[in-house]
């Protein structure tokens, strides 16, 4: 990195964009490794360079600036600094909105990611009403992208629908959460049945959520199959990786609640007893 810094100092036009990209990549790696405190100053350095580049050549560098702001916001959220993350995500979102209507699908996807990240930050700040607007806009964009390129964007749409359902539920609107969560589950299941491996965690968590949601709405008979599916999937994931123990415990608790709602008390107790044997999510 020091060699690249020296090159950027001697030939800035050629090497400062490379330096910004390298610093950003390093910050991403450190954040992914749980070393966000180390990543933060590096992310700020990359951002400072990218701001200068965007001022000189906005058409070329504004999308990169927005991406770096997004990444900075994610790092700040890992550090439990949501107020600072909010400012970064708001600035990044403003840049994506300023791009012309002819923006590429990639830019539209980045816009939806920015909206969702901003919603996550607002949710962390107990501002779920504001988060909802951004969630709904992100889903609308992802629907459009999924229609044009299903193979690339259906999983992203499913993630957005799931997040939207959670936000509806947090606002005391479980009946509104249910249809979008069911749509998310249908997408994940279709991907799973098509052999898309990365769909498995999405299908598992959505099934667990639907099991809980139906039970919450007094419809435990409808929730039971989803809870059973969640337990089956998480059991397989746990066998492959014990880190999924808390997820298996949660799904067993959901199954216990659904069985209890159906008056099947012994089976409910068995599920809850098994859940207690696994680590619990904090």
């Amino acid at each position: 990195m020091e060699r690249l810094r020296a090159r950027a100092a001697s030939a800035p036009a050629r090497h400062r964009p490379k330096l910004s990209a390298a610093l950003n990549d390093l910050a991403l790696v450190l954040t992914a490794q749980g070393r966000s405190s180390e990543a933060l100053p590096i992310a700020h350095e990359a951002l400072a360079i990218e701001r200068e580049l965007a001022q000189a050549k906005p058409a070329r560098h504004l999308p990169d600036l927005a991406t770096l702001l997004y990444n900075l916001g994610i790092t700040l959220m890992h550090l439990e600094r949501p107020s600072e993350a909010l400012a970064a995500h708001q600035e990044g979102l403003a840049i994506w909105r300023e791009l012309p209507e002819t923006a590429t699908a990639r830019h539209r996807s980045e816009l939806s990611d920015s909206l969702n990240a901003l919603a996550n930050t607002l949710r962390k700040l107990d501002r779920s009403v504001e988060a909802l607007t951004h969630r709904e806009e992100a889903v609308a964009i992802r629907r459009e992208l999924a229609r044009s390129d299903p193979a690339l964007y259906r999983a992203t749409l499913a993630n957005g629908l799931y997040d939207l359902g959670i936000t509806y539920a947090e606002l005391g609107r479980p009946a509104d959460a249910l249809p979008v969560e069911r749509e998310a589950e249908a997408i994940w299941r279709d991907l799973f049945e098509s052999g898309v491996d990365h769909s498995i965690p999405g299908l598992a968590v959505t099934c667990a959520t639907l099991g809980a949601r139906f039970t919450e709405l007094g419809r435990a008979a409808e929730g039971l199959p989803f809870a059973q599916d969640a337990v089956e999937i998480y059991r397989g994931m746990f066998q492959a990786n014990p880190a999924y123990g808390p997820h298996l415990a949660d799904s067993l608790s959901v199954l216990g609640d659904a069985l209890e709602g159906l008056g099947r008390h012994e089976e409910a107790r068995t599920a809850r007893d098994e859940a207690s044997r696994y680590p619990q999510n904090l």
Side-chain angles (χ1 to χ4, degrees):
M1 193 66 71
E2 292 308 316
R3 184 178 299 176
L4 186 53
R5 284 195 177 98
R7 290 174 180 171
S10 61
R14 180 178 178 183
H15 291 294
R16 278 177 73 74
K18 296 178 184 178
L19 176 58
S20 174
L23 288 165
N24 179 58
D25 289 344
L26 177 57
L28 288 174
V29 169
L30 290 169
T31 298
Q33 293 176 343
R35 299 162 63 187
S36 296
S37 295
E38 296 172 67
L40 186 59
I42 297 170
H44 276 301
E45 183 182 356
L47 185 62
I49 295 169
E50 204 63 47
R51 282 192 194 282
E52 294 178 8
L53 295 171
Q55 287 174 354
K57 295 181 178 179
R60 179 176 176 182
H61 290 288
L62 275 176
D64 291 333
L65 177 59
T67 298
L68 264 63
L69 285 161
Y70 171 90
N71 293 339
L72 174 62
I74 298 299
T75 300
L76 288 164
M77 286 293 286
H78 279 289
L79 292 169
E80 299 292 333
R81 294 162 66 172
S83 296
E84 294 169 76
L86 180 65
H89 286 311
Q90 287 174 326
E91 184 182 355
L93 178 60
I95 293 171
W96 288 121
R97 289 197 189 284
E98 289 172 3
L99 291 175
E101 293 182 1
T102 55
T104 65
R106 173 183 168 272
H107 290 174
R108 296 286 289 164
S109 178
E110 296 268 15
L111 171 59
S112 76
D113 290 345
S114 184
L115 286 162
N116 215 47
L118 179 55
N120 289 338
T121 306
L122 288 166
R123 179 180 172 222
K124 185 72 173 180
L125 293 167
D126 296 322
R127 295 164 62 179
S128 291
V129 173
E130 295 169 75
L132 178 61
T133 301
H134 299 299
R135 294 268 196 240
E136 290 174 333
E137 185 180 356
V139 165
I141 293 169
R142 290 174 178 183
R143 281 193 196 284
E144 164 199 320
L145 292 169
R147 281 194 295 268
S148 63
D149 192 342
L152 188 58
Y153 292 112
R154 285 186 78 207
T156 305
L157 173 59
N159 277 324
L161 288 163
Y162 178 82
D163 290 339
L164 178 58
I166 294 298
T167 303
Y168 277 133
E170 288 173 344
L171 293 171
R173 297 167 58 180
D176 290 323
L178 188 59
V180 293
E181 289 166 346
R182 293 198 73 172
E183 185 181 356
E185 184 271 339
I187 295 171
W188 286 127
R189 192 173 294 276
D190 184 59
L191 291 171
F192 173 71
E193 291 173 354
S194 300
V196 180
D197 288 341
H198 72 254
S199 66
I200 295 173
L203 178 60
V205 71
T206 308
C207 283
T209 300
L210 280 168
R213 191 78 65 224
F214 274 116
T215 301
E216 177 188 6
L217 292 168
R219 297 162 61 181
E222 294 171 81
L224 181 61
F226 291 108
Q228 290 169 326
D229 282 351
V231 168
E232 180 181 353
I233 296 168
Y234 276 128
R235 202 183 295 285
M237 295 170 72
F238 172 73
Q239 289 170 353
N241 183 353
Y244 283 101
H247 300 281
L248 176 55
D250 288 345
S251 65
L252 285 161
S253 295
V254 170
L255 176 60
D257 291 343
L259 290 165
E260 191 72 42
L262 293 170
R264 295 162 61 175
H265 305 298
E266 287 300 322
E267 293 172 84
R269 186 176 300 111
T270 298
R272 289 167 176 159
D273 286 346
E274 184 183 354
S276 69
R277 299 199 293 269
Y278 299 104
Q280 305 292 308
N281 277 316
L282 297 178

